[in-house]
Each structure stands twice: as C-alpha cells, then as structure tokens.
Amino acid sequence: MKFVLPEDSYEEKAKEYLREFREYQSDLVGCGGLEQYLDSDSFAAWTQKVMEDLDLSGIVPGHIPTYTYFYVREEDERLVGMVNIRLALTDFMEKEGGHIGYSIRPSERGRHYGTRLLKEALEFCRMLGLDEVILSCSKDNAASAKVIKNCGGQLEAEFYSDTFRDTIQRYRILQKNIEHIENDQI
C-alpha cells in the first residue's frame, strides 16, 4: 500500500471510488471535498485545491493546512482508501472532526486496510511533530471506532452534533502510546 498525492491520472479511479460509495449508500468522509468537485465534474479543480491546501504560506484565514492522499494498492493500483490529514484545527474541527479523516471503499472493508491506513497516517503525523491526534466517528460506525482503538485511540467524549445530525465519538491518540502497536494487531 502507498499514499499517493491526487493527480489527473487518477481521475477515473476517483470517480469509480465515489460511484462505489453511492452504490453502497455509504458516507464518504476523509476525502477533502472530493465528492463536491466530482459532482460538478471538475477533478482538476479539486486536485488544484488539494495542492493549495499543502501550501502553508498561502492558506486562507479560516482554512486548515491539509494533506490529502489516495491510499493505493501497489500490485493493481486500485484506489482502496483516502486520508485527509489536518495540521491544525479550528474550534469546530477540534470538537467534531479531528486531525485525520479517512475512508475505505466499501468493497475493500473488513481486510484491515483502515487500521493500516490510520497507522501510516499517524506515523506521518508523528514525523510532522503532532504528539496528540484527535479523531472522530459516528457512534454507529463500530468499524471506524475499532480502527481508532486498534491504533491507541482513547474515547474522550460522546455528544450529539447538530452539524452531522448524529452522535459523535471523539478520540485522542497520544503518539507515545502507539509505538507498541505491532503489525499482527492490524
């Protein structure tokens, strides 16, 4: 598996990814707004936004510097997941979103890709100096909660979100606590 910066050559794979989420009637999260751009048929505008989000000097006030990657299986170049890593948090994102948003395509779930993706994203955060990472998920999303717990997440709060119209669980991961996670736990 590898993280890949979105580029034009992945447009059809991104559209296929989005179609699968819609086919399964599954929420698409951790994708840096991909669905909004694909709905308007402007993948190039989305990849431009992703690159602008990386430019720390050009971040517009109120926006968050963010890394967005495709999670690609190397042997067949299949887009298996996506991750959105936020380097800073607004008050809203600290409470209801977190540093990392991610998704695994429905047909690839249950194969430990979520835990592998999150573990690699946490390592990336550690290299960037983020000692504590906040994540959130719907209380109804037991699979996501399990992934977060597998990576050292400790439940911090549970509350109803008016924005998401759902009960949200907020977790915190201390980087010093994840070094013990072995690959056999994935």
Side-chain angles (χ1 to χ4, degrees):
M1 297 301 295
K2 62 183 177 181
F3 285 141
V4 175
L5 274 172
E7 57 184 45
D8 292 344
S9 65
Y10 279 90
E11 181 173 2
E12 286 309 311
K13 291 176 191 252
K15 287 179 179 179
E16 177 189 321
Y17 188 78
L18 180 60
R19 277 193 298 272
E20 184 171 314
F21 273 83
R22 289 182 174 160
E23 178 184 318
Y24 280 75
Q25 297 179 353
S26 183
D27 292 333
L28 185 62
V29 296
C31 64
L34 172 65
E35 71 284 0
Q36 297 162 357
Y37 286 87
L38 288 183
D39 284 343
S40 66
D41 209 26
S42 184
F43 186 76
W46 179 72
T47 57
Q48 180 180 344
K49 172 206 166 293
V50 167
M51 296 320 247
E52 289 170 358
D53 288 347
L54 292 171
D55 179 10
L56 301 180
S57 65
I59 294 294
V60 178
H63 284 87
I64 301 170
T66 304
Y67 291 88
T68 300
Y69 292 101
F70 291 143
Y71 197 53
V72 176
R73 190 168 44 218
E74 293 182 70
E75 56 266 18
D76 61 3
E77 289 295 309
R78 181 169 169 86
L79 198 168
V80 172
M82 290 186 69
V83 65
N84 192 253
I85 302 169
R86 303 166 195 109
L87 302 183
L89 300 176
T90 61
D91 290 341
F92 172 79
M93 290 304 290
E94 184 166 347
K95 181 179 181 208
E96 299 194 27
H99 289 96
I100 301 173
Y102 63 91
S103 59
I104 300 295
R105 71 184 313 144
S107 64
E108 297 288 352
R109 292 177 182 161
R111 298 177 183 166
H112 306 290
Y113 286 121
T115 301
R116 281 189 240 165
L117 180 152
L118 182 54
K119 185 176 178 185
E120 290 177 37
L122 288 166
E123 177 61 20
F124 185 77
C125 289
R126 187 189 64 73
M127 290 187 302
L128 294 173
L130 290 173
D131 296 326
E132 294 184 16
V133 178
I134 297 169
L135 293 102
S136 67
C137 67
S138 166
K139 181 179 180 175
D140 294 335
N141 191 341
S144 189
K146 183 177 180 186
V147 165
I148 295 168
K149 290 174 187 176
N150 283 346
C151 291
Q154 298 294 313
L155 182 62
E156 212 177 50
E158 186 174 289
F159 55 91
Y160 183 79
S161 166
D162 290 325
T163 302
F164 297 111
R165 295 186 183 128
D166 198 0
T167 300
I168 301 295
Q169 292 181 327
R170 184 177 62 237
Y171 292 84
R172 185 174 303 268
I173 298 175
L174 302 177
Q175 292 284 16
K176 66 182 181 180
N177 292 343
I178 67 166
E179 293 176 10
H180 69 281
I181 299 169
E182 301 296 328
N183 287 332
D184 61 352
Q185 289 180 277
I186 294 177

